[in-house]
Amino acid sequence: MTTHNAFSLRLDVLKRRAKQRLKALKHSDSQEWQQVRAHHPKAMALNTDNIRLADIQLVIARELGLPSWAQLKVHTDQLDYHRQQIAHKVAPLDNDQRTLHVRCGHDIQHRLTEAGFTGDFLPYIDPFCLGPLDRDPRRCEALRARFVRQHLLTAMGDTTTTEAMLLADGQQKRAQLLDSTYERLVLWVEHDNYDQLMMVRVLAEWCARMVPSGADQKPQPVLELIEVNRFPGQDRFIGLGQLPAEGLRALWQSRRPVSEAMMTTASRVWDALCDESPMSLVRLLSSSGQWAQLPNLAAVLRRHLQELPHQNSGLGLTQWLALEALAAEGDALPGQTGDSKLIQDKEHHTGVPFTTLFQRYQALEPLPFLGDVMLWAVIKPLLVGDNALVQRVSIAESNPDSANNVDNTGQQPLTESDWMRHKLALTALGWQVVRYRQTASWGEYAVGGIPVRPDRAWIWDHQNLSTLTLKSG
């Protein structure tokens, strides 16, 4: 059975849809007219009498992220071509050179094979967008292994992978990344923090390995980059993992060589990310001209700095958006207005399932980059201590392994294996913070190389970098 993919567009389907929607517009369908008003440049001049098929075709193209129906046709023709190439099992696109495809996860591995690529695949998995970084490579590797094991693997129920195993795996992957027997390395990245910081790390490593011009050196692989920040489709484009095989195959022609200048910029960015002060990143962001070849990186670095505490809320942006997502549920509670909405008795609130919270967070996030496990790692501290901002209201199903192990509230304690089934709500303090009536006390964590401690942290308004201030005491 074929599964529908929101980015696998077909022109014949879109043509039929356009005719159906034109008919609905002629019958004054209010939702269809709302879409016309949102996407047609001359919507105010249109009515049920004069709207034409070309008008709704333009609306459809713009809904899908393209400026015109003609460009939509070009795009769908490309997808059709690559579907046919896949179906006929033509020669692989990457068989002209021994190729290593590098990605920050496994999400496209199967579809690359489906699309006919035959090169090796390296999942270079380390979410540098979360947790500590350090300029010293050995210390950084150790910090990353400890962070991944303590905050991510345990949440995934992995109790067997040790820090030593993570270090060995990282060394093996770096060795493959720097293997000179490959003739071509292709980095597949999108525009978010996870991908871009992986790209920065890889390019910085290659920059450190560069041999001065004129010196004796072994043949080096060609470094190429496939970088995507949008793709026409019926859903919001978040990442390459959403795309069908024909979409990935179509992107092959968009790859571009990685220049020495790009590697030098990446090396400078990595160094700044590892600095204990945000001012190194601020100086990079304020310098013009270096982002032309890495066009998505400046927005990523600003988003990275937004994980520092906000000067009013005391929260990083991810935690703040999670509170906003929970507040949306509270606003809908029946019979509560004003301060009576403060949740004093969690039995009066059914809570928000974590899966729903994650979906809401994704919708609010301006630059989605966290998976569900990573989001849990960021918001879990908000459930801890006397000043908790979030409470666990209930759990969808009891866990037979922990049914007899309850905490002093009568609930099963938070366990790493149960977090996906938690139902969460704001505490009274959480409501005060989300309404800007109180500032949260930030805990201890790291934003790259920048330490955040309860008694000392860089804070800002998350808009103007000039507001960055080191607050002590």
Side-chain angles (χ1 to χ4, degrees):
M1 183 175 71
T2 302
T3 302
H4 171 71
N5 185 292
F7 297 87
S8 185
L9 304 177
R10 297 175 184 271
L11 190 63
D12 57 339
V13 174
L14 295 173
K15 284 181 175 179
R16 288 196 300 270
R17 187 176 303 157
K19 292 177 181 178
Q20 293 166 356
R21 292 179 64 175
L22 178 62
K23 184 176 180 180
L25 287 164
K26 293 289 188 179
H27 287 84
S28 301
D29 185 295
S30 60
Q31 291 185 344
E32 290 293 353
W33 276 105
Q34 185 176 356
Q35 289 300 102
V36 170
R37 288 191 289 272
H39 295 284
H40 199 293
K42 299 180 180 179
M44 298 306 295
L46 297 175
N47 55 53
T48 56
D49 293 327
N50 65 11
I51 193 164
R52 298 291 181 263
L53 184 61
D55 295 311
I56 190 59
Q57 288 176 337
L58 174 60
V59 169
I60 288 174
R62 295 193 170 189
E63 288 173 345
L64 296 172
L66 289 168
S68 69
W69 182 260
Q71 291 197 31
L72 177 57
K73 184 180 183 302
V74 170
H75 177 73
T76 56
D77 286 347
Q78 289 177 343
L79 294 181
D80 283 339
Y81 168 78
H82 288 290
R83 282 191 204 98
Q84 293 170 15
Q85 295 290 295
I86 293 169
H88 291 107
K89 300 185 185 301
V90 299
L93 291 173
D94 60 348
N95 70 347
D96 57 326
Q97 292 179 299
R98 185 167 185 252
T99 301
L100 178 65
H101 299 278
V102 184
R103 174 72 176 146
C104 63
H106 293 277
D107 57 349
I108 67 171
Q109 184 173 6
H110 171 73
R111 282 187 176 149
L112 283 180
T113 301
E114 183 184 341
F117 292 95
T118 58
D120 293 342
F121 185 86
L122 174 61
Y124 195 80
I125 303 173
D126 193 336
F128 299 116
C129 51
L130 285 184
L133 300 174
D134 194 277
R135 284 194 176 105
D136 180 80
R138 289 186 179 274
R139 177 170 169 76
C140 190
E141 290 168 17
L143 286 172
R144 296 304 305 166
R146 187 175 307 121
F147 176 82
V148 169
R149 183 185 66 79
Q150 291 180 349
H151 296 279
L152 302 179
L153 293 185
T154 52
M156 297 167 65
D158 182 348
T159 59
T160 60
T161 302
T162 65
E163 291 176 27
M165 293 166 67
L166 289 170
L167 286 168
D169 181 67
Q171 290 167 1
Q172 181 180 352
K173 288 181 176 177
R174 280 188 293 278
Q176 186 177 7
L177 185 68
L178 300 173
D179 185 348
S180 60
T181 65
Y182 287 109
E183 298 172 286
R184 174 171 56 206
L185 267 68
V186 182
L187 290 153
W188 295 75
V189 302
E190 58 250 17
H191 55 300
D192 64 42
N193 292 48
Y194 196 129
D195 287 51
Q196 291 284 306
L197 296 193
M198 180 276 286
M199 176 191 73
V200 164
R201 182 64 187 132
V202 169
L203 296 187
E205 290 218 33
W206 268 96
C207 187
R209 300 274 298 210
M210 283 172 55
V211 178
S213 178
D216 292 337
Q217 56 180 317
K218 297 179 181 178
Q220 297 294 315
V222 174
L223 295 183
E224 295 179 338
L225 180 66
I226 294 175
E227 185 177 15
V228 186
N229 61 11
R230 61 177 60 89
F231 198 93
Q234 295 168 340
D235 290 343
R236 179 187 183 187
F237 175 73
I238 295 175
L240 292 167
Q242 297 171 286
L243 301 188
E246 66 268 22
L248 294 175
R249 199 176 191 280
L251 288 174
W252 184 248
Q253 300 307 320
S254 71
R255 70 192 193 283
R256 53 196 175 95
V258 174
S259 66
E260 289 189 17
M262 292 164 70
M263 285 191 278
T264 300
T265 296
S267 184
R268 290 172 181 164
V269 169
W270 181 258
D271 187 71
L273 286 166
C274 296
D275 199 336
E276 291 188 351
S277 167
M279 291 306 164
S280 294
L281 285 173
V282 172
R283 285 190 289 272
L284 277 178
L285 287 168
S286 63
S287 59
S288 60
Q290 64 179 318
W291 306 116
Q293 291 183 303
L294 297 171
N296 298 299
L297 198 48
V300 161
L301 298 181
R302 287 186 64 89
R303 179 63 187 86
H304 178 76
L305 290 173
Q306 287 174 327
E307 289 304 287
L308 294 171
H310 190 280
Q311 62 191 26
N312 294 329
S313 71
L315 300 174
L317 182 57
T318 298
Q319 292 183 334
W320 174 256
L321 294 177
L323 260 60
E324 281 195 326
L326 291 172
E329 180 75 5
D331 287 343
L333 287 175
Q336 293 187 327
T337 58
D339 287 341
S340 68
K341 277 187 181 178
L342 297 178
I343 308 300
Q344 303 293 344
D345 184 351
K346 55 193 170 189
E347 292 180 357
H348 293 164
H349 195 310
T350 59
V352 180
F354 179 82
T355 51
T356 302
L357 171 62
F358 178 69
Q359 292 168 356
R360 292 181 181 177
Y361 157 75
Q362 288 278 82
L364 292 170
E365 171 62 67
L367 196 62
F369 66 100
L370 296 180
D372 51 7
V373 177
M374 297 161 69
L375 178 64
W376 173 246
V378 175
I379 68 171
K380 184 180 175 182
L382 302 181
L383 284 85
V384 179
D386 295 336
N387 294 321
L389 305 182
V390 178
Q391 59 187 326
R392 182 169 59 107
V393 177
S394 63
I395 194 164
E397 302 172 3
S398 62
N399 183 346
D401 296 330
S402 59
N404 297 320
N405 183 19
V406 297
D407 61 20
N408 59 11
T409 67
Q411 288 187 311
Q412 295 172 17
L414 291 173
T415 63
E416 296 299 348
S417 61
D418 281 339
W419 62 273
M420 278 289 285
R421 296 188 286 117
H422 291 161
K423 290 187 176 182
L424 305 175
L426 295 177
T427 63
L429 179 59
W431 278 108
Q432 294 285 356
V433 170
V434 84
R435 290 174 176 162
Y436 301 100
R437 295 176 181 173
Q438 193 158 333
T439 300
S441 300
W442 53 80
E444 185 165 347
Y445 62 101
V447 180
I450 308 167
V452 177
R453 302 187 182 96
D455 61 341
R456 183 180 172 87
W458 287 90
I459 64 174
W460 65 304
D461 67 1
H462 289 186
Q463 297 294 325
N464 190 340
L465 291 170
S466 66
T467 63
L468 270 161
T469 306
L470 182 60
K471 184 173 183 179
S472 301

